[in-house]
Amino acid sequence: MDERATALDAARAAARTFFDSLDDRPVWPRATLDDMVAQFGGPLPDAGTDAAELVADLARRADPGLVAIPGGRFFGFVIGGTLPAALATDWLVSAWDQNSGSSSMTTATVALERVAGQWVCELLGLPASASVGFVTGAQMSNYVCLATAQHAVLRRAGWDLTRQGLRGAPPVRLVVGAHRHGSIDRAARFAGIGADELIVVAADGEGRMIPAALAEALGEPDGTPTIVCLQAGEVHTGAFDPIEELVAIARRHGAWVHVDGAFGLWAAASPSLRHLTAGVGDADSWTTDAHKTLNVPYDCGMPIVRDPADSIAMFRTGGDYLMYTGLDPWDVTPELSRRARGVPTWAALRALGRSGVRDLVDRLHANAHRLEAGLRDVPGITVVNEVAYTQVMLRLDDDEATRALGSAILADGTAALTGAEWSGRAVLRCSMSSWATTPDDIDRTVAAIARLAAGVSSRA
């Protein structure tokens, strides 16, 4: 058997061992970064190592530093698990090793990504003709969409950014909500728009942009190039901007409307939750993230732009040796060389089907309500937000005690929650994002929180 085959067999065995441990292993890592550097560091050896032995040894050494994200009780940040079909297909993507930028070279993977993009638009109620790119995550997706928007609104104002640059360009007004995700500010920075230049619109207590405040911020239409960023799914509360009403206001000013829906756009796939995204199809660009709600492996952000011509105008390159068709993947994102990260998205969608995506979204929503109901029965715990989608936020009465509870939960290992601040108070956030989470996982998590909260309260 050749070295490639034995290495793959070793990887498969290590992966099976890891998956078999998920139900019982601590969710949070048991080793620090320094511990892991000590395991893997030191001078580079002069002699090489057999590939299969290396893989087995790597898996053994890495184990204490791994997070049980693929299990059912990781509720930190907004990170999905990995569906079996998506995981297996991702292994194929690595084996095939296709540089998936050219429609005329890597035809199989580009076709799979193109169909995946069409299916996503169909599920989410977005234009069928939109361009769909595949980037690392929502951060890069927001950048792609904002860079495309900036180019487009300047072009409408008679300024060609690709030829003339930003120096001397008409000012672009970027309007954002008070509770936007930080990736919006960072994407704006990448596009040359500083934090002091943002026009920030007030939000309500759940983080939803207030329509009257947007109308006031925009004032009377005056032809200023304008981009308005809306949000489908606030990262703490899960709340959705009233998109339909806000788009109508933005349109009166000729604004480009971008919707950051990294995890929230998937609500449109559920008939019972679709009302949260009403009007979303009327925007000009959208961000979503398949490694969140759709549960494909890292990494797979998706920038979606209504008019592919706007994407091409911003991102098409000029190398005379590159082969072009009508629309190549490298026409719609900054990358020329990349792996076929959209193929697991095709596999996830094909494995689930329309009904399976609907059921997945509904199940995540139901898990959030089950967690909320359990937490409301725990003495001392306050559920802070209205649980409209998949996010649950809790705290104790005291900020120090809340932070202590968060540390205790991670040390205990039953589940993983991550800390944050909301309205100036310490909170703990739970995101229901994984297909693997069961009602038993929720109940075990509630029981652990109740036990640990009692301990924290007794020490206060």
Side-chain angles (χ1 to χ4, degrees):
M1 188 176 292
D2 66 22
E3 188 176 23
R4 183 160 48 194
T6 57
L8 289 172
D9 287 345
R12 180 180 183 275
R16 288 292 302 269
T17 298
F18 177 62
F19 289 141
D20 290 345
S21 76
L22 287 174
D23 195 49
D24 297 319
R25 72 182 293 134
V27 177
W28 204 246
R30 294 156 286 161
T32 66
L33 176 61
D34 288 342
D35 294 334
M36 289 290 95
V37 170
Q39 281 290 320
F40 298 117
L44 177 65
D46 183 62
T49 304
D50 174 78
E53 293 177 7
L54 183 151
V55 170
D57 183 61
L58 172 101
R60 179 183 61 80
R61 291 175 184 239
D63 191 75
L66 298 178
V67 191
I69 290 173
R73 295 187 304 282
F74 182 86
F75 307 122
F77 305 102
V78 187
I79 300 176
T82 304
L83 289 162
L87 171 63
T89 308
D90 196 55
W91 287 13
L92 272 181
V93 166
S94 293
W96 291 341
D97 196 25
Q98 306 287 288
N99 183 353
S100 299
S102 170
S103 299
S104 58
M105 181 175 70
T106 49
T107 56
T109 57
V110 171
L112 286 160
E113 289 191 340
R114 184 166 294 178
V115 172
Q118 292 167 351
W119 285 350
V120 167
C121 289
E122 179 185 341
L123 281 168
L124 304 185
L126 307 182
S129 60
S131 71
V132 181
F134 291 91
V135 294
T136 53
Q139 173 66 80
M140 281 307 297
S141 177
N142 278 326
Y143 165 68
V144 168
C145 290
L146 291 187
T148 303
Q150 179 177 241
H151 186 283
V153 298
L154 284 174
R155 188 174 68 249
R156 294 171 191 167
W159 187 271
D160 185 349
L161 185 150
T162 56
R163 186 171 55 84
Q164 297 171 277
L166 280 174
R167 295 181 185 87
V172 173
R173 182 169 53 172
L174 181 56
V175 184
V176 299
H179 279 284
R180 68 205 176 275
H181 192 273
S183 63
I184 293 293
D185 295 48
R186 200 160 174 246
R189 189 192 322 159
F190 297 164
I193 300 173
D196 291 346
E197 298 179 272
L198 302 179
I199 297 173
V200 181
V201 177
D204 66 15
E206 293 293 308
R208 296 175 288 241
M209 185 184 287
I210 299 171
L214 175 62
E216 182 179 357
L218 291 175
E220 293 299 319
D222 61 4
T224 300
T226 301
I227 304 166
V228 175
C229 290
L230 307 181
Q231 185 166 230
E234 206 282 335
V235 74
H236 298 82
T237 66
F240 289 66
D241 285 345
I243 294 170
E244 191 167 30
E245 189 174 357
L246 294 167
V247 169
I249 295 168
R251 286 286 180 253
R252 292 200 287 270
H253 295 262
W256 178 290
V257 179
H258 171 62
V259 179
D260 177 11
F263 66 99
L265 275 186
W266 293 95
S270 164
S272 64
L273 296 170
R274 192 172 297 147
H275 64 280
L276 296 170
T277 64
V280 74
D282 296 328
D284 298 289
S285 62
W286 305 264
T287 276
T288 194
D289 205 340
H291 68 241
K292 293 181 174 19
T293 307
L294 189 59
N295 280 235
V296 308
Y298 269 99
D299 48 33
C300 198
M302 300 174 68
I304 304 171
V305 176
R306 172 180 292 279
D307 188 347
D310 288 322
S311 299
I312 293 170
M314 178 60 197
F315 288 109
R316 174 166 279 181
T317 189
D320 58 8
Y321 70 97
L322 298 175
M323 297 178 289
Y324 284 98
T325 64
L327 181 65
D328 289 286
W330 54 34
D331 285 336
V332 299
T333 73
E335 296 171 316
L336 287 179
S337 300
R338 66 168 177 84
R339 73 197 308 272
R341 60 171 62 95
V343 173
T345 298
W346 180 92
L349 292 169
R350 185 64 186 86
L352 292 170
R354 178 184 292 276
S355 64
V357 176
R358 177 199 66 213
D359 293 345
L360 172 60
V361 174
D362 285 343
R363 189 163 70 251
L364 299 180
H365 179 61
N367 285 342
H369 277 291
R370 186 181 186 94
L371 180 65
E372 175 198 21
L375 290 174
R376 290 194 185 280
D377 289 336
V378 176
I381 293 287
T382 298
V383 175
V384 177
N385 63 311
E386 301 169 8
V387 182
Y389 187 46
T390 57
Q391 308 299 95
V392 182
M393 193 162 49
L394 64 135
R395 69 176 178 228
L396 296 174
D397 291 338
D398 176 76
D399 284 355
E400 185 176 343
T402 299
R403 295 188 185 100
L405 176 60
S407 297
I409 291 169
L410 296 182
D412 173 76
T414 301
L417 287 61
T418 47
E421 286 194 3
W422 183 258
S423 299
R425 298 288 304 276
V427 295
L428 300 176
R429 295 173 55 260
C430 308
S431 179
M432 296 297 126
S433 302
S434 178
W435 71 279
T437 301
T438 65
D440 179 64
D441 286 320
I442 301 295
D443 296 344
R444 286 173 65 180
T445 298
V446 170
I449 292 173
R451 169 173 50 81
L452 295 167
V456 168
S457 298
S458 68
R459 293 195 298 270

